[in-house]
């Protein structure tokens, strides 16, 4: 039941842009800004007279013009000779919002270097204040037109599409969304060897996932992009947009590459947006079959090099399901990344089974649960994990006696729990008479209420479920909701003769973990020591390792680092012996051991432990798992302490992206990541960014934690350091003293976290000539 802990040393800024105008003529060549770099197939606007030169570039002609600006063809002769595309904002459009978006594009492109992304060379501002961006000139055709004009086979189209996915994946790894992927923004040129090379262009409405500059882009609406390729969540004003929105757009592009038609069409913007939100996507093969009597459509397919009859057969099955998975209205059920979509296409080309498939009965029944994966599925996963783990422990401990009887009892308990959990989800069936759109939090609340009513005469099952739901609330950072459930479960298990020692230890472990999360470390220690004693007496090495993990963190917070290290090493030894060196549980132990080394400033050991944990987790859990995000977070802290700031920032940004995809936006883990990024900004002297990050971390902590929780002290120390550097000593002192009060209540006087604040505050007081105040502070802290 123990999970990784973290060192909370650290703002997700939601970017909302301009509305999509309802009276816009719907053509696929609609350009939000400046047209396709290298393509002249754009809307026509009256062309102003062209400048002779921009910077060191001679202007040759206009390539395109859109609602926000122009794209010009320029030529450079020194120091090298080349033609470039120059993008600039129209003079009458120089408002602050567009200037910021233009600057965002420049930063986004400068961070990327990939053969399938148009390269940015430089940026500047004309004498009239008009900014410009100099980019690689891509002399090519939109990807769909290229495939049709050259009559490319299905295989060649798919291989070209894989290259596009790889370029998008690179942008995502740099924490950049494109947000306007469409064929006109993917131009295909031919290399010297004649091979086609797709280039992704026009990041004019890209969304930087990790930059504080997003705050400057906030407006009241969210829809921005070309309507045919917008994902459902990018249309909703309240939804978050992440990398899976680009995956959706890639799915639409793949649809058009395969069929020659778009899945949703209409004469007005609102018609298209409504279809995206409300209508199911037709299978590509079904839409193609509908065109069977249209001779002109067949002729168009033939001109594209695709025989209608054989092509229809090729789409049916795997390719249908790949497209539908990429375009699933529920982003939780899409491919997680562009790289995953590319891998799926490779599997198809290699004649291997694809991950996508038709919806089974199990899928249809569980659709609601999967749509609310964080909450509802967390219950199911936790339930299955607890049941399986509990069964294994019970059977092993009782093998010498009553094995069959215990197995039977355990099976019956498991069935009762499973039946109860399934009943909570019956509201997803319209026949139940209740509304279908129920949230995960409501499911948890419903379960908490019904446990007492439905299971009043089944104390063993009720206690197990109370413990389970309390654990889920705790993992969601909802400690106030978790506490009464876990307490009631523990009391039931103490009173119920039918409860086993393993169940009692389990409840003690759960409450001890919760008390640790709440910062109540002495209570946590006593509960965990009792649980450990029970597990050791029963010879339950799995529980001993888990409790040792949690207890190690508690002893660390109580300044007993020697005992903490002993417990962590004991857990590591037990887990490696029973699970092997590459199990995620081993990685979790290494993670916590690395955190201890961090507290002790044993940097090389901390780095080594976290690197080993990351390698295990990435291999066993994948590159997007929440536990991997925790280890990336903690290694980043080690690098900050060593002043390896760029390495630290890369890790923390990746950790924040993972957490943001897996957790509620106000989860304390996300608050910790913001705080950590604040530490980096402070170390670099970017006080404004540091202040924003620390305040967002503090806001999140205050929303979930009590005012005296140790995590809040991290935010107060950070804000104190910021305001000290800003020259506001009075406000800095107030923050430092607030942090000191929290830490004194949570830790012994000798704890490093207390001494850290005392040392810094005393130094500040002496610099102000307040020597007596500094001495009094040190005396009160035993310094």
């Amino acid at each position: 039941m123990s999970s990784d802990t973290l060192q909370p040393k650290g703002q997700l800024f939601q970017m909302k842009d301009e509305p999509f105008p309802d009276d816009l003529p719907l053509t696929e060549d609609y350009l939000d800004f400046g047209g396709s770099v290298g393509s002249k197939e754009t809307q026509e606007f009256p062309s102003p007279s062209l400048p002779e030169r921009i910077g060191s570039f001679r202007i040759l002609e206009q390539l395109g013009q859109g609602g926000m600006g122009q794209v010009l063809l320029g030529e450079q002769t020194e120091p090298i000779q080349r033609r470039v595309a120059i993008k600039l904002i129209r003079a009458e459009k120089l408002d602050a919002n567009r200037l910021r978006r233009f600057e965002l594009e420049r930063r986004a492109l400068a961070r990327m270097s990939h053969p399938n992304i148009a390269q940015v060379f430089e940026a500047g501002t004309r004498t009239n204040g008009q900014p410009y961006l100099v980019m690689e000139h891509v002399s090519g055709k939109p990807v769909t037109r290229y495939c049709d004009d050259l009559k490319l086979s299905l295989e060649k189209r798919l291989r070209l599409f894989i290259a596009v996915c790889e370029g998008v994946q690179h942008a995502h790894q740099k924490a950049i969304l494109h947000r306007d992927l469409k064929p006109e923004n993917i131009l295909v040129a031919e290399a010297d060897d004649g091979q086609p090379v797709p280039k992704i262009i026009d990041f004019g409405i890209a969304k930087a996932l990790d930059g504080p500059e997003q705050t400057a882009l906030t407006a009241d609406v969210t829809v921005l992009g070309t309507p045919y390729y917008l994902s459902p969540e990018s249309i909703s004003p309240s939804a978050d947009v992440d990398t899976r929105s680009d995956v959706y757009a890639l799915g639409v592009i793949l649809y058009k590459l395969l069929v020659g038609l778009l899945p949703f069409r209409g004469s007005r913007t609102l018609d298209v947006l409504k279809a995206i939100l409300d209508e199911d996507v037709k299978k590509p093969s079904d839409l193609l079959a509908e065109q069977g009597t249209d001779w002109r459509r067949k002729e168009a397919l033939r001109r594209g090099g695709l025989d209608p009859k054989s092509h229809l057969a090729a789409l049916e099955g795997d390719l249908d399901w790949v497209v539908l998975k990429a375009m699933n209205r529920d982003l939780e059920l899409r491919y997680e990344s562009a790289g995953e979509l590319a891998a799926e296409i490779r599997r198809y080309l290699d004649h291997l089974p694809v991950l996508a498939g038709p919806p089974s009965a199990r899928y249809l029944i569980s659709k609601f649960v999967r749509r609310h994966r964080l909450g509802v599925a967390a219950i199911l996963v936790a339930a299955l994990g607890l049941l399986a783990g509990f069964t294994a422990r019970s059977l092993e401990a009782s093998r010498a006696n009553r094995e069959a009887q215990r197995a039977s009892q355990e099976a019956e308990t498991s069935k009762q729990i499973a039946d109860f959990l399934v009943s909570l989800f019956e509201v997803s069936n319209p026949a139940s008479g209740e509304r279908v759109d129920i949230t995960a939090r409501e499911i948890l609340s419903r379960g908490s209420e019904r446990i007492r009513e439905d299971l009043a005469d089944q104390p063993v099952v009720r206690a197990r479920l109370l413990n389970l739901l309390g654990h889920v609330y705790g993992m969601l950072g909802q400690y106030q909701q978790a506490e009464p459930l876990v307490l009631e479960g523990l009391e039931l298990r103490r009173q119920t003769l039918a409860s086993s020692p393993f169940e009692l230890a389990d409840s003690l472990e759960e409450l001890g973990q919760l008390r640790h999360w709440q910062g109540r470390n002495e209570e946590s220690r006593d509960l965990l020591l009792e649980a450990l004693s029970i597990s050791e007496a029963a010879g339950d090495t799995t529980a001993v390792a888990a409790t040792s993990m949690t207890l190690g963190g508690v002893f660390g917070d109580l300044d007993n680092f020697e005992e903490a290290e002993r417990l962590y090493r004991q857990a590591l030894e037990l887990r490696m012996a029973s699970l092997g060196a590459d199990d995620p549980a081993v990685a979790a132990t290494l993670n916590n051991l690395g955190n201890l080394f961090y507290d002790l400033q044993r940097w090389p050991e901390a780095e080594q432990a976290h690197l080993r944990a990351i390698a295990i987790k990435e291999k066993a859990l994948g590159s997007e798992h929440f536990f991997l995000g925790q280890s990336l977070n903690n290694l980043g802290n080690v690098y900050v302490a060593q002043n390896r700031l760029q390495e630290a920032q890369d890790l923390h940004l990746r950790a924040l992206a993972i957490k943001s995809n897996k957790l509620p936006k106000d989860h304390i883990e996300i608050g910790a990541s913001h705080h950590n990024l604040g530490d980096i900004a402070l170390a670099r002297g970017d006080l404004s960014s540091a202040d924003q990050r620390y305040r967002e971390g503090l806001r999140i902590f205050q929303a979930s934690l009590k005012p005296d929780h140790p995590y809040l002290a991290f935010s107060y120390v950070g804000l104190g350091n910021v305001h000290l550097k800003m020259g506001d000593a009075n406000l800095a002192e107030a923050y430092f003293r607030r942090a000191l009060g929290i830490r004194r209540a949570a830790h012994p006087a000798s704890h490093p976290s207390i001494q850290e604040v005392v040392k810094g505050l005393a130094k500040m007081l002496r610099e102000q000539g307040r020597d007596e105040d500094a001495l009094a502070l040190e005396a009160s802290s035993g310094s």
Side-chain angles (χ1 to χ4, degrees), residues 8-250:
K9 299 286 186 185
Q11 173 160 36
L12 277 185
F13 300 99
Q14 302 302 325
M15 188 166 84
K16 297 181 180 179
D17 295 301
E18 300 176 346
F20 200 93
D22 185 45
D23 59 351
L24 186 74
L26 278 181
T27 70
E28 283 195 64
D29 293 326
Y30 169 73
L31 297 171
D32 171 74
F33 179 86
S36 299
V37 179
S39 171
K40 300 177 69 173
E41 299 157 331
T42 67
Q43 288 190 118
E44 292 300 324
F45 288 81
S47 299
S49 59
L50 300 180
E52 292 185 4
R53 302 189 70 85
I54 293 180
S56 61
F57 303 93
R58 184 167 66 93
I59 302 305
L60 302 179
E61 62 177 300
Q62 177 174 285
L63 292 173
Q65 184 163 309
M68 288 182 60
Q70 298 172 277
V71 179
L72 307 177
L73 178 63
E75 183 177 54
Q76 183 181 27
T77 56
E78 297 291 341
I80 60 174
Q81 185 170 359
R82 62 184 172 188
R83 289 193 169 189
V84 298
I86 302 175
K87 178 182 288 190
L88 65 160
I89 297 178
R90 295 169 63 196
E92 64 269 30
K93 295 291 186 179
L94 288 175
D95 62 82
N97 185 56
R98 286 177 169 85
L99 284 171
R100 293 187 182 110
R101 275 178 45 200
F102 190 88
E103 173 63 13
L104 177 58
E105 177 181 13
R106 182 191 68 76
R107 295 184 188 181
L109 289 173
R111 290 163 57 177
M112 295 183 289
S113 177
H114 192 275
N116 299 118
I117 296 178
Q119 184 179 355
V120 61
F121 296 132
E122 63 177 78
T125 305
R126 300 179 64 195
T127 55
N128 66 355
Q130 187 176 26
Y132 63 86
L133 185 69
V134 182
M135 302 171 58
E136 175 184 359
H137 171 54
V138 183
S139 181
K141 299 178 180 180
V143 60
T144 48
R145 188 166 303 164
Y146 179 90
C147 291
D148 289 346
D149 288 353
L150 272 71
K151 303 184 186 299
L152 293 191
S153 67
L154 176 61
E155 179 180 352
K156 289 182 178 179
R157 289 169 187 251
L158 293 176
R159 295 202 182 279
L160 205 59
F161 181 74
I162 288 173
V164 174
C165 290
E166 290 172 344
V168 174
Q169 178 70 11
H170 173 78
H172 291 174
Q173 288 171 339
K174 297 295 183 180
I176 298 297
L177 286 182
H178 190 287
R179 299 186 82 197
D180 195 20
L181 286 170
K182 57 184 178 182
E184 290 73 25
N185 281 340
I186 303 168
L187 302 181
V188 183
E190 292 186 351
D192 294 338
D193 60 0
Q195 294 299 310
V197 179
K199 294 275 187 179
I200 304 168
I201 63 169
D202 204 355
F203 280 78
I205 57 172
K207 174 185 177 183
L209 297 178
D210 61 355
E213 63 268 19
Q214 291 174 23
T215 52
L217 304 177
T218 301
D220 295 328
V221 288
T222 60
V223 175
L224 189 62
T226 306
Y228 303 105
Y229 300 90
L230 287 173
S231 64
E233 68 274 7
S234 65
I235 300 171
S236 172
S238 61
D240 290 339
V241 176
D242 61 23
T243 56
R244 290 167 293 184
S245 294
D246 277 352
V247 170
Y248 181 95
L250 287 169

Side-chain angles (χ1 to χ4, degrees), residues 737 744 758 761-763 765-766 770-783:
R737 290 193 181 278
R744 279 175 168 167
V758 170
L761 182 55
K763 180 176 182 292
L765 293 172
R766 287 193 171 91
R770 298 165 58 186
D771 291 347
E772 291 185 3
D773 290 342
L775 287 171
L777 174 67
E778 291 168 338
S780 67
S781 302
S783 300

Side-chain angles (χ1 to χ4, degrees), residues 425-437:
F425 306 132
E426 288 179 349
V427 292
S428 64
N429 179 2
S432 68
E434 300 187 54
R435 63 186 179 91
V436 174
D437 186 21

